[in-house]
Amino acid sequence: MAARDASYLLLGLFVILNTWGVRADIEVNMEDRVEVFKGDTAQITCMFTSSEGIGGMMIQWLYVQRTGERQRIYYQDSTMTVIDRGTEYTDRISVNGTGATAEVVLTIEDVQLTDETEFICVITGLTDGAAEGRTMLKVFKPPALPSIIDKVQTGISVHEDDLSKIGTCEVKNGFPKPNITWYRNTTPLRAVWNKVAIVPRVTIESSGLYSVQSELHLKVEKSDKDDEFYCEVTYFVPGGTRMTETDKMKITVFYPATEVKVWVESPKGKIKEGDTVELHCQDNGNPPSSIISFRHLESNRQVDTNVFVLENVTTKDNGQYECTTYDTETFEPTKGTTSVFVHSLSPAVVEPKGPVVVAQGGSLEVTCNAQSSLQTETTWFKNEKEVSKGQTLMLKDASFDTAGTYKCVVTVPEVGLSTSESLHINVQGPPEFLNTDNTDLEKYYDETVELSCEARGFPDPEIKWTTSDEQELQVIGSALETHTEDGIKSMVKIKVTSDITAFCNVSNDHGADARIFKIKATVKTTPAPATTTTTITTTRATTTSSISSTTVKAQTAIPPEKVKKESSGVIIAVIIICILLLAILGSVLYFLYKKGKLCGRSGKQDLTKEKSSKDNIVVEMKSDNTEEAVLLGVNGEKQPSNNQ
Ligand SMILES: *[C@@H]1O[C@H](CO)[C@@H](O)[C@H](O)[C@H]1NC(C)=O
Ligand SMILES: *[C@@H]1O[C@H](CO)[C@@H](O)[C@H](O)[C@H]1NC(C)=O
């Protein structure tokens, strides 16, 4: 009997390990384990065979209690099925199949963590005895998403003697216990003495679920500043494992500097004299050290900040600037330098030094020099107009037009520096009149006439007014002499007492010249009543206080009411008639204006524009004996006339 039992036992083990054939005739076949999520429904299958056939079997389900005792939860035979009352499973189980089907399934609803135990299926035949099988029920609960709590908030110094806490990884409420692995970048971290320490802590919640924490402690190195830390959680699920990760975190590492950077913050590009230069200095430590000494090696000037401001720089500021920073913990110095070069431009020097005198027809070479560390450009100007480029100014065949003030401007285009110097050049020669107008005048007796002449030459010509018979001119006041742009201008006022021939004599060391003014004195006739006399004068001046010889000439060319029998007489007469008509029209308009009846000024403007083809023509209206006159300028505005 024992040998038979043993042989059947061997056979049973050989066929299905977890089937325990008590008697050879009944075999029970069950899965090793059934895995299920908490809250789900578990199904445990019990298959059996019997040599007698499967009718009339008694089926029992039991489970192993925490104490190790077996507790029946279900019973079935050919006459009844019973779910045992008062067990944990009374309300949660059901069984499919009967002793006649060779397979029964135990269904457990709403599986709890406490259901993780062995379930036993016992089959008892009518005559063959009994056999049983066992299935382990495994329960799983995925944990919540993991996170890194209490991340290190401050920076960690590499000088730190002990390991520093980086953070705690936490995963809550899993079953069975989840595992936590810390990662640095892609490498899992394991405890290394004095370098890495990982401190786990497991908590079993009242619910029976596991919460796991893992603290990471590191000896921080400089390279950790760029590292990413995170942790990975692995946990079991039915049929396998799963993995989740936390967000990645970085840490701030305080480390000492290895070098100091010194640079010119502004200006960007080349530095020129007068600039404000800002030098900056910073070491590559974290944080950069604030213990700084910033020094100009050549002058020993020093600041204790990371910004060195040089105002209004000169070439004296050239040279090396050295910045030393000191580690805030170890006071280890680190140095860096930069050099500064200030581009300059020396004052322009003109050779020969002025004023220079050149003979008429002569030539002159003038140079202009200004030193700079950069490429310069030289331009010569005369009267604001560019006359030459380059250092050397060549003047050939000098004439009076050559004379004047020359300005040489040297610039450094790259940085915008510039300097200039002027030179006055005189051209030696006899005086030369600048105005060649007709000088034949006709004037009334007792009228005052202004004569002027302008001449140039070098040395400055002397201007004298005389008459043919050496008689003194009846000059009112003295000659008024002014230096003009081109030369010298002299003006006299003469009272006409007879026909006059006046000389404007100009002379200097190199020669003399004279201009002859002929003034014919005439008797004024009584003008016809109700007519007015009009004179047209052309002048550049806006006032009539100074009448140049041009003005005088124009007045002479068209004398009022005294048309001579000349070849051009007829033409003049026609012109005068036109002028008279214009004058009448003018008078009427003026009269209306005075009376305030002509309000708009546009009428006057139109009139002026219509009759004046040139902009510089002034229409003068003069009533004969009264000196009251009104000038209508080109802009149509009323101007008081001056007495003549
Ligand atoms: C957790 O770690 C233990 C010990 O290393 C291991 O036996 C177990 O399989 C791990 N669990 C998971 C889910 O990886
Ligand atoms: C002025 O010039 C005239 C004409 O050339 C001459 O006759 C006269 O003598 C000169 N007078 C003087 C003071 O030079």
Side-chain angles (χ1 to χ4, degrees), residues 179 234-236 241:
N179 286 353
T234 49
Y235 55 92
F236 290 112
T241 59

Side-chain angles (χ1 to χ4, degrees), residues 537-548 551 615-620 631-635 637-642:
T537 60
T538 58
T539 175
R540 270 175 288 163
T542 51
T543 74
T544 52
S545 62
S546 151
I547 300 174
S548 67
T551 317
D615 275 355
N616 59 354
I617 285 181
V618 175
V619 178
E620 183 184 328
L631 280 179
L632 293 179
V634 280
N635 52 3
E637 282 181 349
K638 188 176 113 175
Q639 290 177 325
S641 124
N642 281 45

Side-chain angles (χ1 to χ4, degrees), residues 111-368:
V111 170
Q112 296 304 305
L113 295 185
T114 47
D115 297 341
E116 183 163 290
T117 185
E118 273 185 317
F119 286 84
I120 304 163
C121 171
V122 180
I123 307 292
T124 312
L126 288 174
T127 54
D128 306 336
E132 62 181 49
R134 293 165 173 244
T135 289
M136 181 74 194
L137 179 63
K138 280 279 181 189
V139 183
F140 299 85
K141 162 72 174 54
L145 287 176
S147 60
I148 298 173
I149 56 171
D150 65 21
K151 293 179 199 179
V152 59
Q153 295 298 318
T154 57
I156 303 164
S157 169
V158 294
H159 296 306
E160 208 67 57
D161 291 327
D162 300 322
L163 301 188
S164 308
K165 186 175 162 187
I166 305 302
T168 303
C169 185
E170 183 183 65
V171 61
K172 283 179 129 174
N173 297 325
F175 192 89
K177 181 178 80 70
N179 286 353
I180 293 177
T181 313
W182 276 96
Y183 277 79
R184 169 158 50 199
N185 301 324
T186 52
T187 316
L189 284 167
R190 295 185 204 299
V192 177
W193 185 77
N194 210 20
K195 283 206 158 129
V196 183
I198 292 162
V199 183
R201 189 178 323 131
V202 181
T203 314
I204 301 172
E205 309 287 348
S206 54
S207 58
L209 296 169
Y210 290 95
S211 291
V212 183
Q213 290 189 343
S214 173
E215 257 177 43
L216 175 65
H217 298 256
L218 278 186
K219 181 93 174 70
V220 170
E221 287 169 19
K222 185 178 168 184
S223 60
D224 289 328
K225 71 191 169 74
D226 303 315
D227 290 339
E228 288 182 324
F229 295 89
Y230 67 96
C231 59
E232 181 191 87
V233 169
T234 49
Y235 55 92
F236 290 112
V237 292
T241 59
R242 273 191 209 161
M243 189 202 82
T244 53
E245 284 176 3
T246 61
D247 290 338
K248 296 179 163 77
M249 68 170 274
K250 289 192 120 188
I251 58 172
T252 306
V253 181
F254 294 146
Y255 51 88
T258 53
E259 60 182 276
V260 175
K261 240 178 54 182
V262 189
W263 70 96
V264 179
E265 176 69 16
S266 71
K268 299 291 175 207
K270 294 197 160 75
I271 300 166
K272 64 171 186 298
E273 270 185 322
D275 281 350
T276 294
V277 175
E278 214 177 283
L279 298 169
H280 282 208
C281 152
Q282 195 177 68
D283 66 35
N284 64 353
N286 186 36
S289 173
S290 53
I291 311 172
I292 290 169
S293 141
F294 209 158
R295 203 157 64 90
H296 181 215
L297 295 182
E298 279 77 0
S299 72
N300 243 351
R301 258 182 312 151
Q302 180 174 331
V303 294
D304 293 330
T305 60
N306 69 322
V307 178
F308 202 151
V309 179
L310 311 169
E311 265 162 12
N312 200 5
V313 291
T314 66
T315 50
K316 283 191 189 128
D317 296 302
N318 283 352
Q320 297 285 312
Y321 288 80
E322 184 187 72
C323 179
T324 310
T325 70
Y326 299 89
D327 188 278
T328 36
E329 282 179 55
T330 63
F331 292 101
E332 199 71 35
T334 315
K335 285 175 196 285
T337 60
T338 193
S339 61
V340 164
F341 188 84
V342 178
H343 291 286
S344 60
L345 180 65
S346 69
V349 175
V350 168
E351 264 326 312
K353 299 222 177 308
V356 177
V357 178
V358 198
Q360 247 176 342
S363 59
L364 179 68
E365 191 178 315
V366 189
T367 61
C368 175

Side-chain angles (χ1 to χ4, degrees), residues 464 466-468 470 503-505 513-514 516:
K464 261 192 186 150
T466 55
T467 54
S468 53
E470 302 281 316
F503 300 104
C504 170
N505 296 58
D513 200 354
I516 306 161

